[in-house]
């Protein structure tokens, strides 16, 4: 093949001490010429053909073909099990999350969490390679557990699996027992383990599996004759560390003695004191062990923790409660029931916060009323957002939940049916973001709500994106804000309303032409 572009040009040396931003760097002539040179090897169709096919993918004809596919998933709105497992394990005191699988898998999960929270995330692995895939990962685990304990001195190692270990059928319980019996780790070291194959379920499944394993391990033989007078709370796979702190503030106002089952608020938002701290999980192993003796356990995510709730209700014989303290209605229900269950009055401060939240929604409700919304995410996350949107008079239209189930779909359809603003909504269970692309082109909406993976839907369909959920890679510090309670309702409303106003500014940017009704006066 003959070179059609000269790639021998001299690239000028950068100015000393001047570092060019990478967003500008690749726009330089030398890089643009390099990209053009590489394109001759791509064997791509002509730009006209690409444009023609791209336009066709916006049609109803393509939508029918897109929704007919069964064997292919394109950009699912979920992650895999080990991510949720590592996430929940990090909320416990002195706990080292351990991934039994290849080094690449744990590196991916660590990077995923680090990018969202802008915090270094510690986790280790068995570093399984080809030989372990053939002969099993016992030796890798024994050596890995010994090295991890010797180097990092954890109080607990929370062990989960990846695809490789699951495909070959490694026996985690047997492997851990062998490692202890051979002296690689102390007998008394708690090592809860959970099977978390990436090809089944999603990150919320892994969260549930690991939380159940941790509670089962630490509470063994800890059941007492009387309760400890405390209540347990679990937020599920909630990416907003501000929610844990907001919940603790609310419980403090009530004067309730509590245990947060997996408090990773400092794990993903630790103070910079100049000294490195390996473990930042705030739920102690002692209080976790005593959680079996609590008065009851509150869960904020029904579909994230079914196995854990079953363990507590059946094995512990403890009362469980499910509430969704998001938006006005959800927070009202939680606080009124919390008051009834504990016998403590709702604090005046929270009543005042409710009034301010209602006032905020009243002030700006006209901007969101009647807006057509598409949203995606985990079942509990999407349910909370949908209920909040209905409160504001917004109209959910496309609801995509890749890791859906029949119980969730029945509950959210009932929610939508009972609201005048939910009549046009369709719940798309087991669908992905490429399905959502077809929906946005064929039945356009005013807003899209979801995580950072919706960025290209925004660019492609020009539907304004409100970034709410996990992961959010391309905006910073949003995880620090609460979305729970009345304060959280204001934050959610703020993000949505100001995205609408930002889009309005973009649409009215031409002076004396599109800015006839301009919301700014001297």
């Amino acid at each position: 093949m003959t070179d059609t572009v000269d790639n021998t040009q001299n690239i000028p040396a950068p100015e000393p001490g001047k570092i060019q931003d990478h967003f500008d760097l690749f726009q330089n002539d030398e890089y643009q010429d390099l990209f053009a040179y590489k394109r001759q090897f791509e064997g791509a169709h002509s730009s006209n053909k690409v444009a023609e096919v791209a336009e066709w993918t916006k049609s109803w004809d393509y939508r029918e073909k897109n929704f007919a596919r069964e064997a292919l998933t394109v950009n699912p709105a979920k992650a895999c099990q080990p991510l949720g497992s590592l996430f929940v394990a990090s909320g416990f005191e002195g706990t080292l999350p351990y991934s039994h699988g290849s080094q690449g898998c744990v590196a991916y999960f660590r990077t995923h969490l680090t990018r969202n929270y802008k915090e270094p995330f510690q986790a280790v692995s068995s570093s399984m390679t080809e030989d372990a895939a053939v002969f099993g990962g016992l030796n890798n685990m024994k050596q890995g557990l010994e090295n991890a304990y010797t180097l990092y001195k954890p109080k607990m190692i929370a062990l989960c699996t990846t695809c490789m270990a699951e495909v070959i059928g490694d026996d985690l319980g047997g492997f851990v027992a062998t490692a202890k019996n051979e002296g690689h780790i102390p007998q008394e070291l708690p090592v809860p383990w959970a099977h978390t194959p990436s090809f089944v379920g999603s990150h919320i499944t892994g969260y549930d599996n690991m939380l159940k394993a941790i509670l089962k391990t630490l509470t063994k033989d800890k059941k007492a004759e009387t309760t400890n007078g405390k209540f347990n709370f679990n937020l599920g796979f909630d990416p907003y560390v501000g929610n844990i702190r907001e919940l603790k503030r609310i419980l403090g106002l009530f004067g309730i003695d509590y245990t947060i089952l997996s408090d990773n608020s400092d794990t993903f938002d630790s103070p910079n004191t100049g000294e490195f701290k390996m473990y930042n999980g705030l739920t102690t192993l002692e209080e976790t062990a005593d959680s079996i003796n609590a008065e009851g356990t509150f869960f904020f995510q029904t579909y994230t923790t079914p196995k854990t709730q079953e363990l507590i209700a059946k094995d512990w014989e403890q009362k469980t409660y499910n509430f969704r303290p998001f938006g006005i209605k959800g927070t009202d229900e939680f606080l009124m029931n919390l008051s009834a269950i504990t016998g403590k009055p709702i604090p005046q401060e929270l009543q005042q916060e409710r009034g301010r939240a209602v006032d905020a929604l009243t002030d700006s409700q006209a901007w969101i009323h009647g807006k057509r919304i598409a949203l995606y995410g985990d079942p509990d996350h999407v349910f909370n957002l949908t209920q909040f949107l209905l409160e504001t008079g917004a109209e959910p239209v496309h609801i995509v939940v890749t890791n859906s189930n029949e119980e969730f779909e029945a509950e959210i359809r009932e929610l939508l049916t009972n609201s005048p603003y939910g009549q046009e909504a369709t719940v798309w269970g087991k669908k992905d973001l490429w399905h959502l692309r077809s929906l946005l082109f064929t039945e356009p909406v005013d807003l899209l709500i979801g995580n950072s993976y919706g960025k290209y839907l925004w660019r492609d369909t020009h539907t304004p994106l409100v970034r709410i959920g996990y992961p959010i890679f391309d905006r910073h510090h949003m995880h620090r804000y609460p979305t729970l309670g009345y304060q959280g309702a204001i934050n959610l409303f703020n993000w949505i309303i100001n995205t609408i106003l930002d889009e309005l500014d973009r649409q009215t940017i031409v002076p004396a032409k599109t800015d006839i009704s301009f919301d700014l006066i001297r």
Side-chain angles (χ1 to χ4, degrees):
M1 178 179 292
T2 303
D3 290 354
T4 58
V5 178
D6 180 14
N7 68 326
T8 62
Q9 68 272 22
N10 294 321
I11 299 177
E15 298 179 30
K18 182 178 180 181
I19 300 176
Q20 191 169 4
D21 189 284
H22 67 277
F23 286 104
D24 299 323
L25 177 66
F26 294 110
Q27 302 303 318
N28 291 350
D29 289 343
E30 60 267 24
Y31 284 103
Q32 290 299 307
D33 290 344
L34 179 62
F35 296 151
Y37 175 74
K38 290 173 63 178
R39 277 194 288 272
Q40 67 180 304
F41 302 105
E42 293 176 358
H45 291 285
S46 67
S47 57
N48 288 339
K49 183 64 176 178
V50 171
E52 177 188 341
V53 174
E55 192 63 29
W56 171 65
T57 63
K58 304 174 184 179
S59 67
W60 278 90
D61 177 53
Y62 179 79
R63 169 174 163 169
E64 292 178 2
K65 291 178 171 56
N66 188 12
F67 275 76
R69 62 183 162 92
E70 297 179 355
L72 175 67
T73 298
V74 183
N75 204 1
K78 68 179 183 70
C80 51
Q81 282 205 50
L83 180 75
S85 174
L86 301 177
F87 178 88
V88 68
S90 69
F92 293 90
E93 170 198 22
T95 298
L96 180 63
Y98 186 113
S99 174
H100 182 51
S102 68
Q103 182 64 37
C105 289
V106 75
Y108 167 71
F109 302 131
R110 289 171 58 182
T111 301
H112 211 269
L113 291 166
T114 296
R115 289 174 65 200
N116 184 82
Y117 293 105
K118 311 300 182 287
E119 293 280 352
F121 182 78
Q122 285 73 236
V124 297
S125 83
S126 297
S127 299
M128 293 171 65
T129 53
E130 292 83 355
D131 58 340
V134 176
F135 301 108
L138 175 59
N139 289 332
N140 289 71
M141 182 178 289
K142 291 191 296 185
Q143 184 177 356
L145 288 174
E146 181 176 349
N147 289 342
Y149 180 76
T150 302
L151 290 172
Y152 304 121
K153 301 297 188 296
K155 293 185 177 181
M156 180 168 74
I157 296 177
L159 177 66
C160 68
T161 54
T162 61
C163 294
M164 182 188 296
E166 289 296 329
V167 169
I168 62 179
D170 277 358
D171 176 10
L172 296 188
F175 284 11
V176 171
T178 299
K180 288 186 174 185
N181 292 336
E182 294 182 3
H184 297 283
I185 52 175
Q187 285 285 349
E188 65 274 12
L189 178 70
V191 185
W193 49 268
H195 289 283
T196 54
S198 298
F199 46 79
V200 176
S202 69
H203 57 287
I204 63 174
T205 317
Y207 181 102
D208 191 23
N209 287 336
M210 180 52 75
L211 179 59
K212 177 184 176 182
I214 290 172
L215 296 181
K216 192 172 182 180
T217 298
L218 295 181
T219 61
K220 184 179 180 181
D221 301 326
K222 300 295 183 179
K223 185 72 171 177
E225 294 295 328
T226 59
T227 64
N228 58 21
K230 301 171 69 174
F231 287 90
N232 304 319
F233 291 84
N234 174 260
L235 287 82
F237 191 97
D238 187 330
Y240 293 92
V241 297
N243 282 342
I244 298 180
R245 292 171 180 158
E246 179 66 6
L247 173 61
K248 292 194 286 188
R249 184 184 72 88
I250 291 172
L251 297 176
L253 292 173
F254 268 95
I256 295 172
D257 199 3
Y258 62 87
T259 297
I260 304 294
L261 298 179
S262 183
D263 184 348
N264 54 20
S265 54
D266 273 12
T267 303
F268 295 117
D269 187 21
S270 59
N272 190 340
T273 63
E275 295 183 5
F276 174 73
K277 185 178 179 182
M278 180 79 179
Y279 305 109
N280 289 286
L282 296 181
T283 304
T284 69
L285 304 190
E286 181 180 7
E287 63 184 346
T288 305
D290 195 36
S291 64
I292 193 173
N293 299 310
E295 298 281 350
T297 301
F298 289 78
F299 290 92
F300 291 169
Q301 291 192 357
T302 302
Y303 303 106
T304 300
T305 53
K307 296 177 183 177
T308 302
Q309 293 198 44
E310 183 180 24
L311 169 75
I312 292 175
K314 292 185 177 181
D315 293 9
W316 294 10
E317 298 180 339
Q318 188 179 114
K319 181 68 174 177
T320 60
Y321 307 92
N322 281 272
F323 293 104
R324 296 185 173 100
F326 298 86
I328 305 300
K329 181 176 184 292
T331 303
D332 286 351
E333 291 177 349
F334 170 62
L335 294 183
M336 288 188 293
N337 280 279
L338 185 63
S339 176
I341 292 166
T342 63
K344 296 177 179 290
I346 297 177
Q348 183 65 26
E349 183 173 336
L350 294 177
Q351 296 182 42
Q352 292 294 320
E353 288 178 11
R354 184 186 192 278
R356 283 191 287 271
V358 171
D359 182 61
L361 269 64
T362 303
D363 290 342
S364 305
Q365 187 268 346
W367 288 103
I368 195 173
H369 181 84
K371 288 288 190 292
R372 290 162 52 84
I373 313 289
L375 62 156
Y376 58 93
D378 296 333
D380 291 290
H381 167 78
V382 162
F383 189 97
N384 296 334
L385 277 175
T386 300
Q387 180 168 273
F388 179 67
L389 291 170
L390 295 175
E391 287 182 342
T392 67
E395 300 180 6
V397 177
H398 309 305
I399 301 173
V400 172
V401 182
T402 305
N403 48 354
S404 180
N405 59 60
E406 293 180 359
E407 293 79 11
F408 159 73
E409 292 180 24
E411 185 181 16
I412 196 169
R413 286 193 178 108
E414 181 180 4
L415 173 70
L416 293 162
T417 300
N418 291 334
S419 170
Y421 307 113
Q423 302 306 304
E424 292 189 38
T426 301
V427 181
W428 300 97
K430 308 298 184 183
K431 301 302 181 184
D432 55 45
L433 296 189
W434 193 250
H435 290 113
L436 182 54
R437 179 183 181 274
S438 286
L439 295 172
L440 294 177
F441 273 124
T442 53
E443 297 179 80
V445 296
D446 300 301
L447 281 178
L448 173 64
I449 300 179
N451 59 33
S452 287
Y453 291 121
K455 172 180 281 192
Y456 284 92
L457 292 175
W458 163 56
R459 291 180 175 180
D460 206 6
T461 69
H462 304 293
T463 308
L465 172 63
V466 187
R467 290 166 175 80
I468 300 175
Y470 176 89
I472 298 178
F473 294 148
D474 57 341
R475 296 293 184 272
H476 290 202
H477 308 298
M478 296 183 70
H479 62 276
R480 303 177 193 271
Y481 293 86
T483 61
L484 174 154
Y486 300 126
Q487 301 278 24
I490 294 176
N491 287 332
L492 289 172
F493 200 56
N494 174 43
W495 297 336
I496 294 170
I497 290 297
N498 285 321
T499 300
I500 293 173
L501 295 176
D502 283 343
E503 182 63 17
L504 179 63
D505 278 343
R506 281 190 287 269
Q507 293 174 358
T508 58
I509 203 168
V510 183
K513 185 174 181 181
T514 60
D515 67 345
I516 297 171
S517 178
F518 194 64
D519 194 18
L520 186 67
I521 58 175
R522 292 187 184 275

